[in-house]
Amino acid sequence: MAWRSALLLDPAASDDTREDWDATFRVVDPDGPVLPLGELSAQRGDGIFESLGVVDGHVQEVGPHLARLARSAELCELPAPNPAQWRAAIARVATEAGSGENVMKLVLSRGVEQGPTPTAWITLATAPDNFRSRSEGVDVVTLDRGYALDAPAHAPWLQLGAKTLSYGVNMAAIREAQRRGADDAVFVTTDGFVLEAPTASVVLRVGDRFATPSPAAGILHGTTQLSLFSFLEARGFSTAYETVPVTDLTTADAAWLLSSVRLAAPIRSVDGTSVPVDRAFTDELNAYLLSPRD
């Protein structure tokens, strides 16, 4: 993934109503030294982030991503981000995108330990080539996430549902999936219900009905999944948020991993069991997801 640009933000209070934000931005070299050694994003993964797809210079789903960033900040007791400042910063970084697919990452960290303010920045990079996963599909394995479906209700300190920088477990899960000969993993609860993939939402199709695990299970409310559900509903399909038993992964008519950059990747096998792949319909989904979406 090749870096294209990076911008540091001086985070403003959420109620700051200024109209010109340029004085709060600083362009930096994405390959150069920028953050101090005491930065808690690096020391402890103490921060939150969002990854946005950028297609031909258009940043996808800015509003939903900023809403989720604010929700993550609330869960992690970070200062509420100023949406107008972040929108202005996103627009400025997007001017560097050009044609093709890129990925923009928004980061809000607690800052330097015992420091006065949080740290915030945005990066822009060329997106990975996801053609193969979109067209041919992915093999997944199910991995136990280590908690039951009701964990979010009695353990809020786990910050389940926040998109934090602490992605060590997620990356370890992908490595374990690859050790088992698969492309990706799907997390499941100890009591046998589907959660999400390490970097994606899970959507299943049964007939004309589409379902995804409920965010109440302590998973991210996927921005791409929300957009796709709106598209499907406009097409006359029904959509639902449910508790999804693991067995549904192999009995569904089709299933996908959805994320802002990979978009819709059909699941072609689960723990070695083949799952039907509707390539024509997947192409329709990705054509929509690659169109400008606000």
Side-chain angles (χ1 to χ4, degrees):
M1 195 162 62
W3 297 110
R4 299 180 70 95
S5 67
L7 187 72
L8 281 178
L9 287 72
D10 179 10
S14 60
D15 59 355
D16 191 328
T17 59
R18 78 181 79 178
E19 295 184 1
D20 186 350
W21 297 99
D22 284 352
T24 68
F25 303 150
R26 179 163 64 95
V27 176
V28 295
D29 180 355
D31 292 312
V34 178
L35 300 176
L37 292 177
E39 169 60 46
L40 290 173
S41 59
Q43 295 276 3
R44 297 177 183 170
D46 192 359
I48 58 177
F49 77 100
E50 287 289 321
S51 294
L52 290 69
V54 185
V55 181
D56 295 332
H58 180 85
V59 188
Q60 306 281 52
E61 301 289 345
V62 173
H65 278 287
L66 288 179
R68 194 168 64 180
L69 186 74
R71 174 60 176 157
S72 294
E74 180 183 4
L75 288 171
C76 296
E77 300 181 60
L78 286 163
N82 184 299
Q85 182 187 32
W86 283 89
R87 279 186 178 274
I90 289 168
R92 178 161 174 175
V93 173
T95 62
E96 303 294 325
S99 61
E101 294 184 51
N102 291 273
V103 55
M104 184 181 294
K105 182 172 284 190
L106 321 181
V107 182
L108 177 62
S109 157
R110 206 171 301 277
V112 177
E113 190 161 12
Q114 298 182 348
T117 61
T119 307
W121 67 94
I122 297 178
T123 58
L124 181 73
T126 303
D129 183 355
N130 289 296
F131 176 80
R132 185 173 179 179
S133 62
R134 293 173 189 167
S135 60
E136 298 182 11
V138 292
D139 301 309
V140 304
V141 295
T142 55
L143 296 180
D144 192 333
R145 193 67 174 87
Y147 57 76
L149 192 67
D150 62 353
H154 64 255
W157 52 88
L158 294 178
Q159 297 180 344
L160 301 175
K163 195 171 179 67
T164 72
L165 293 168
S166 301
Y167 256 47
V169 169
N170 302 57
M171 298 301 99
I174 293 174
R175 291 193 298 272
E176 177 61 24
Q178 293 171 345
R179 273 192 289 270
R180 299 186 188 191
D183 303 298
D184 211 331
V186 171
F187 286 128
V188 300
T189 65
T190 55
D191 44 354
F193 295 96
V194 176
L195 292 170
E196 60 190 343
T199 63
S201 304
V202 179
V203 170
L204 287 73
R205 178 179 186 176
V206 178
D208 288 340
R209 187 170 183 273
F210 291 79
T212 193
S214 170
I219 62 178
L220 288 175
H221 203 166
T223 56
T224 306
Q225 170 265 309
L226 280 167
S227 182
L228 186 66
F229 271 22
S230 295
F231 170 74
L232 292 170
E233 290 161 6
R235 292 272 306 273
F237 296 104
S238 63
T239 63
Y241 296 90
E242 300 177 343
T243 53
V244 178
V246 175
T247 52
D248 285 6
L249 285 173
T250 52
T251 60
D253 293 329
W256 295 266
L257 299 185
L258 288 176
S259 61
S260 297
V261 178
R262 185 165 47 180
L263 305 182
I267 297 174
R268 64 187 178 193
S269 73
V270 179
D271 294 329
T273 299
S274 296
V275 175
V277 172
D278 188 335
R279 295 194 177 183
F281 191 71
T282 299
D283 288 344
E284 289 184 46
L285 300 184
N286 280 317
Y288 163 71
L289 293 172
L290 283 167
S291 67
R293 292 178 290 119
D294 297 314

